[in-house]
Each structure stands twice: as C-alpha cells, then as structure tokens.
Amino acid sequence: MRPKDKSPTDWTVYRQDRTVHRTGSEEGQTQGGVAIMIKPGIDTKPLEKIQTPANSALETVGAGIRTPKGWIEIWNVYRPPARGGALDTRDAGLHTARWPHSENAIICGDVNAHGSWDPNMDAEEHGEELDDWMQSHGMLSLNDGSPTRYSSSGRGTAPDISIVSASRAHLFEWKVLETIGSDHMPIAITLKDGKSKDQIPTRMNVKKANWEEFQKKVREELESRNERPKSIEAEHAEFVQIIKKAAKASIPYSTRKSPKSWWTAECDEAKEGCRR
C-alpha cells in the first residue's frame, strides 16, 4: 500500500502503511502494509495497534466488529521475509508475547513461517514459536492442511494462518478459494450461527463414531498423496491433519453448558491486573 492509494469511499478501512524497510530505517519510499476493509452497514471500531519494537518488520492492524454473538476482534498480521545482513537490519521476530489471545480474537495473516498447520513444509523457528504460543494461550489454527500459496514451480505451502480461540473453533468454517491472480490464495472464514456461546463441544463422542467412514477417509487421504513429505516432522504433521480431517467427518461432538458462562471480559482484565 502507498499513502496516495485511495480507500473505497463507502467502506470502513483500517490500514497500517509500512514504515520500516529493508534498510532498517524509516526513510525511503513507502510501499506495503496491511489493511482491513469492512463493507457498509456493519458496526465497527478500530483496535489499538499491537506494540512491537521500533525496528520490527511485523505489520498489524485490528478492527472490532459487532455480530449477533457480540463483539469480535479481527487482526491482520504480516511478517515480511526479512533477510538480514547489512541491507536488511529489520527485527524479523513475530513477537507473539504481545499478540491478543482473547476468546473473541480472530488473527489472520501471512507470517512467512511454517509449523504444525502446514504439512507441506518442515517446521522452522518462527513456526515453532507460533505453535507454542497457540498451545500456551488456548488458541487454535483453523487451517486444514490445504496450501494457501503456490510458487512459480507449482509447489503449494501454507505461510498464511488463521487463528481463533480453541473454545470457539467449532463456530467457524475455513476454506481456501480459487485464485484471483496472486500467488497467495484467498481464504474464506465463515462465522456460523450454530449453537449458543454457552454450549461448547467437550470432546468427540466416540460411542457414536462411524469407524468405517473414519477408516475410509484416512485410507483415501493416504492413497491420494502425490509425494511423501521430506522429513519425519513433516510426515507427522501431515498424518495428524489427515486424522483430524477424518475424525471431523465421522465422529460427532458432545456438548455441555460452559462451566464459565458467567466469565466476562471484565473478569479477564481483573485477572490480568492481579498478575502485575
């Protein structure tokens, strides 16, 4: 994005133009950044920018949106592929310690990293950091293992990730769409109407599982692979995704009322204040 680029006049647009470039300075031509565009008729508000070090290459922008289920936070995050060296002294960290992790947060973006959500690539430093952060804060990737980017040679990988609270993951549908001309594929995330937020999935109800369907799905996925992953780690990540996909299609969830339906955002703030 460039400052002279105009935003749609009838849409609400939140944008963060790039300020830190490959030289590591804030000078030079401004190009790039992140944005969230919201169509007319939706109640929305800006969110405070995620605070990162002055020389951080990480770009973020957030928007609050009112839904029938209450307010949700949508975050667009981009970590440019900082290369290091004298010509690229930017801080390339993800700085996940500063990321939002509320139950209502939806974090989407190109992190230029690969972890458990991408069976097409070996996990690397930033991907492992993001996996650890999700596990520590009860967050979950919506990715289903599908590639979200295709290189010029046709190889598919998933540097783009969509993250939500594990307790709300069942309320979302995630799907990679057909290309619109970019090497990155568009992704549709749908918030389903579904059940009340006080009803949460507790566990898979294995007593009602269709094990024949489960075995069929696993077998089909294994037999449809065109090539084996290059490492044990990538093989494991792909197999886990196959098992999850087959289980989702053949094993129903049981639900119960949330034991913390009384817990509110104010409770989160009070709890956080006690830790300081």
Side-chain angles (χ1 to χ4, degrees):
M1 298 182 67
R2 296 166 294 184
K4 66 180 181 180
D5 291 337
K6 294 183 178 180
S7 302
T9 56
D10 56 343
W11 287 51
T12 302
V13 179
Y14 304 109
R15 57 189 286 175
Q16 180 65 47
D17 295 331
R18 183 166 299 165
T19 57
V20 180
H21 309 281
R22 287 188 181 181
T23 58
S25 70
E26 296 184 3
E27 301 177 355
Q29 183 180 7
T30 300
Q31 186 172 352
V34 289
I36 296 175
M37 296 188 293
I38 302 168
K39 67 181 183 180
I42 295 179
D43 193 3
T44 180
K45 61 183 178 181
L47 298 177
E48 184 177 350
K49 181 179 180 292
I50 297 174
Q51 298 300 313
T52 55
N55 199 37
S56 172
L58 190 70
E59 299 169 354
T60 68
V61 66
I65 293 179
R66 189 193 297 274
T67 75
K69 298 180 181 295
W71 284 91
I72 60 173
E73 298 178 2
I74 297 180
W75 294 90
N76 185 355
V77 176
Y78 176 56
R79 188 184 76 88
R83 295 172 175 81
L87 296 179
D88 195 352
T89 59
R90 293 174 296 175
D91 174 353
L94 281 171
H95 301 289
T96 52
R98 309 181 185 210
W99 284 26
H101 49 82
S102 73
E103 192 177 49
N104 298 320
I106 304 172
I107 304 172
C108 308
D110 175 7
V111 293
N112 276 299
H114 305 276
S116 63
W117 69 90
D118 186 5
N120 311 285
M121 291 282 287
D122 292 342
E124 43 73 60
E125 176 185 359
H126 295 98
E128 291 175 346
E129 175 190 346
L130 191 48
D131 276 329
D132 289 344
W133 176 82
M134 286 190 287
Q135 184 174 4
S136 298
H137 292 88
M139 306 297 281
L140 187 69
S141 165
L142 293 175
N143 294 48
D144 63 6
S146 301
T148 64
R149 177 184 181 273
Y150 287 90
S151 67
S152 57
S153 65
R155 183 182 184 187
T157 58
D160 308 281
I161 188 171
S162 307
I163 303 171
V164 299
S165 169
S167 65
R168 296 289 184 91
H170 65 292
L171 296 176
F172 295 89
E173 291 181 351
W174 186 93
K175 184 179 181 181
V176 176
L177 305 180
E178 295 295 326
T179 181
I180 54 175
S182 170
D183 56 340
H184 288 264
M185 310 297 284
I187 298 170
I189 301 174
T190 305
L191 177 60
K192 299 181 290 186
D193 291 334
K195 302 168 184 176
S196 164
K197 63 182 181 180
D198 290 337
Q199 294 286 333
I200 61 173
T202 55
R203 65 187 64 185
M204 287 185 170
N205 190 343
V206 295
K207 293 182 179 180
K208 296 183 178 180
N210 185 337
W211 293 116
E212 290 185 1
E213 181 68 12
F214 176 81
Q215 293 175 14
K216 177 184 175 183
K217 293 290 185 182
V218 171
R219 188 179 301 110
E220 288 176 349
E221 290 289 335
L222 291 174
E223 293 175 351
S224 67
R225 295 190 302 175
N226 295 322
E227 59 182 27
R228 296 280 298 275
K230 294 183 178 180
S231 70
I232 294 177
E233 290 79 8
E235 178 86 12
H236 172 263
E238 180 174 338
F239 185 67
V240 168
Q241 291 294 336
I242 288 173
I243 293 297
K244 287 182 177 179
K245 188 175 180 179
K248 186 176 180 180
S250 57
I251 307 175
Y253 276 90
S254 59
T255 60
R256 63 176 173 82
K257 265 199 172 295
S258 170
K260 294 184 179 181
S261 57
W262 45 267
W263 193 271
T264 64
E266 288 75 14
C267 295
D268 281 329
E269 293 176 2
K271 182 178 179 180
E272 185 64 25
C274 292
R275 293 176 175 174
R276 296 171 183 167

